[in-house]
Amino acid sequence: MRDFYGVTLDSPLMLGTAQYPSPAVMEAAFRASGASVATVSLRRETAGGQMGGGQAFWQIIKGLGVHVLPNTAGCYSAREAITTARMARDVFETNWIKLEVIGHADTLQPDPFGTLEAAETLSADGFEVFPYMTEDQVLAQRLVDAGCRVLMPWGAPIGSGLGLNNRYGLRTLRAAFPDIAMVVDAGLGLPSHAADAMETGFDAVLLNTAVAQAGDPVAMAEAFGLAARAGALAYRADPMAPRDMAVPSTPVIGKAWL
């Protein structure tokens, strides 16, 4: 199993902390999911909001006993993302950072140029960068060259729930970097999407909206946790390849011919 900057995760599910109906629901969803990583926003921590913000929010997260992955959500330039990351390191006391540099306001597609610029600076500054990106192999290589040991290609636009939009691109990206930990991040809407990603050989999935905005976030969180584990187990079991014709499952050798 590939590790995340030397850390082996107990669960392949990473879960966001935004948009839940209440702090209690968020906490219950995390516990039901078995998620190993919580993504948190610096803006949420310092500015307050629906979840209460500040120290109360941070105490809830610490009580979950999971790894914390701060993010630079909402940043539209490398400079803004770098500044946010440095502030997040002071607040959350970790070198991990989920790097988001958004390039398109409608699709929330990441800016490849700003992402690479920020990744180079942050890696040189001692950060362990988890860059949100498209399934672009050229960008992936540049990010790896910059020091990234984890890549986070999107499945579909953030919050869309569309699943894996470009299976070919994701599959070939996974094959091109066999030693790099990869997380399918964004666009997953159903537990089956998570299982699909894990069966393709990815190391984890990250989602938020599909759980937080479900009718029953706790039940959906549990479903995603089970699906991610099932997909990972299926991949390790070396599943059979698809066939173009039927093959009988019951042996015909020794069958009596009448």
Side-chain angles (χ1 to χ4, degrees):
M1 178 180 290
R2 304 172 191 91
D3 63 61
F4 295 80
Y5 293 104
V7 175
T8 300
L9 301 179
D10 295 330
S11 165
L13 180 63
M14 300 181 177
L15 197 55
T17 56
Q19 304 181 35
Y20 291 86
S22 70
V25 171
M26 183 198 74
E27 182 176 4
F30 262 88
R31 298 195 185 284
S33 73
S36 57
V37 174
T39 60
V40 294
S41 169
L42 177 67
R43 287 178 171 82
R44 190 172 198 80
E45 170 70 8
T46 56
Q50 183 183 3
M51 292 289 291
Q55 191 64 25
F57 172 71
W58 184 218
Q59 289 302 318
I60 292 173
I61 299 302
K62 288 198 292 186
L64 294 173
V66 298
H67 297 280
V68 175
L69 178 60
N71 64 43
T72 63
C75 293
Y76 281 79
S77 70
R79 180 178 179 182
E80 185 181 8
I82 292 166
T83 300
T84 301
R86 287 171 173 163
M87 294 172 64
R89 179 161 62 180
D90 291 339
V91 171
F92 296 108
E93 301 178 335
T94 177
N95 286 326
W96 279 15
I97 191 71
K98 181 191 171 189
L99 175 61
E100 296 182 35
V101 182
I102 302 301
H104 194 281
D106 292 332
T107 64
L108 301 181
Q109 179 171 328
D111 174 359
F113 309 104
T115 299
L116 179 58
E117 178 185 347
E120 290 173 336
T121 298
L122 292 173
S123 294
D125 197 23
F127 282 89
E128 295 171 331
V129 182
F130 293 60
Y132 167 58
M133 55 176 290
T134 62
E135 61 278 17
D136 183 338
Q137 285 197 42
V138 177
L139 174 60
Q141 185 61 63
R142 297 290 182 86
L143 289 167
V144 170
D145 292 343
C148 298
R149 303 305 300 166
V150 176
L151 298 175
M152 303 185 79
W154 66 350
I158 294 172
S160 67
L162 293 173
L164 306 186
N165 268 3
N166 184 356
R167 293 172 180 274
Y168 170 78
L170 290 169
R171 192 167 57 247
T172 54
L173 180 67
R174 173 67 284 176
F177 299 89
D179 299 325
I180 298 297
M182 290 191 189
V183 183
V184 172
D185 173 25
L188 304 185
L190 294 170
S192 57
H193 297 159
D196 193 3
M198 297 303 300
E199 288 169 4
T200 306
F202 287 88
D203 301 286
V205 293
L206 192 157
L207 55 121
N208 190 157
T209 308
V211 167
Q213 295 191 356
D216 185 341
V218 178
M220 187 62 77
E222 182 179 6
F224 266 103
L226 293 170
R229 285 184 170 87
L233 183 60
Y235 176 74
R236 292 195 296 270
D238 190 16
M240 62 174 283
R243 298 165 174 165
D244 292 330
M245 59 185 296
V247 178
S249 57
T250 301
V252 296
I253 297 176
K255 177 183 177 181
W257 295 94
L258 305 178

